[in-house]
Amino acid sequence: MHVKDTPAGYGIVSRVLHWIMALAIFALFALGWWMVGLDYYHPYYKSSAELHKAAGMAVLVALIVRMVWRGVNDKPEDSELTPLERTASRITHRLFYPLMLVLMLTGYFISTLDGRPIDIFGLFSIPSLFEAKGYESIVGEVHEWLAYATVALAIVHSAGALKHHFLDKSDVLRRMWSGPAND
């Protein structure tokens, strides 16, 4: 089992980070979409927001680790892609990381602009960096649009991977699922 990425495929670290983050982002999107419809008196009004914040900060840490890991690893070959597909893949990946980073940072600021910290599963708190009361709703709008954009990009990304797997019969999806063949 490869730990690091190779030209032949993704190592276990990249694959685990990829799939955990994919599941977490879709779960956070679903939770966020559901929780904004709750009224103040709903039994899950407070706990759903607390879960969303804590999980979002955990995904932010995973994103930072993933960005560093990607920067120090080989990139798997994409020679089976057409030039257009290769360009689309690179644009998608270059959009994903800053989009997710800004999405998570806006989530942090929605929660902390009033000066309060974010509680992380009762283990510790992430403090507010500064107060800017009254801007939470503006940042919330940006966060919402970024969430929709992230999920739309993830759907396009997934559709591309499925197209390569089922129509082109290429190894693109297999490399992210099971990694490179063992030598």
Side-chain angles (χ1 to χ4, degrees):
M1 175 186 311
H2 292 272
V3 173
K4 294 186 75 173
D5 300 346
T6 70
Y10 295 96
I12 190 70
V13 174
S14 291
R15 290 182 287 132
V16 167
L17 286 169
H18 175 273
W19 292 109
I20 286 174
M21 286 184 63
L23 291 172
I25 286 169
F26 278 105
L28 283 167
F29 180 82
L31 177 60
W33 188 71
W34 175 74
M35 73 182 201
V36 296
L38 301 179
D39 67 25
Y40 183 78
Y41 298 103
H42 193 282
Y44 296 116
Y45 178 80
K46 184 170 171 41
S47 61
S48 65
E50 296 301 319
L51 174 61
H52 188 82
K53 293 176 201 180
M57 292 299 96
V59 173
L60 175 58
V61 170
L63 175 64
I64 292 167
V65 169
R66 187 170 177 198
M67 289 167 51
V68 170
W69 186 255
R70 184 176 168 105
V72 300
N73 270 275
D74 291 331
K75 183 183 178 304
E77 279 191 33
D78 56 6
S79 58
E80 74 252 27
L81 303 179
T82 67
L84 178 62
E85 290 169 338
R86 193 174 299 118
T87 299
S89 173
R90 288 184 180 145
I91 289 169
T92 300
H93 283 96
R94 287 183 180 147
L95 285 173
F96 252 133
Y97 291 99
L99 185 61
M100 289 186 295
L101 183 62
V102 175
L103 171 66
M104 292 170 214
L105 290 175
T106 57
Y108 165 79
F109 286 120
I110 293 167
S111 303
T112 61
L113 285 175
D114 63 359
R116 291 182 293 171
I118 298 176
D119 178 63
I120 306 299
F121 303 114
L123 301 171
F124 61 92
S125 294
I126 299 175
S128 172
L129 294 176
F130 58 88
E131 276 188 51
K133 291 182 180 177
Y135 288 96
E136 298 92 338
S137 60
I138 294 169
V139 177
E141 285 284 322
V142 172
H143 184 73
E144 180 180 0
W145 283 105
L146 290 171
Y148 283 115
T150 300
V151 168
L153 191 59
I155 290 169
V156 168
H157 174 70
S158 301
L162 292 171
K163 177 242 184 221
H164 288 295
H165 186 74
F166 291 109
L167 298 180
D168 300 342
K169 307 290 187 210
S170 75
D171 287 336
V172 170
L173 182 59
R174 185 198 58 77
R175 289 189 323 218
M176 185 47 84
W177 186 255
S178 58
N182 287 327
D183 302 328

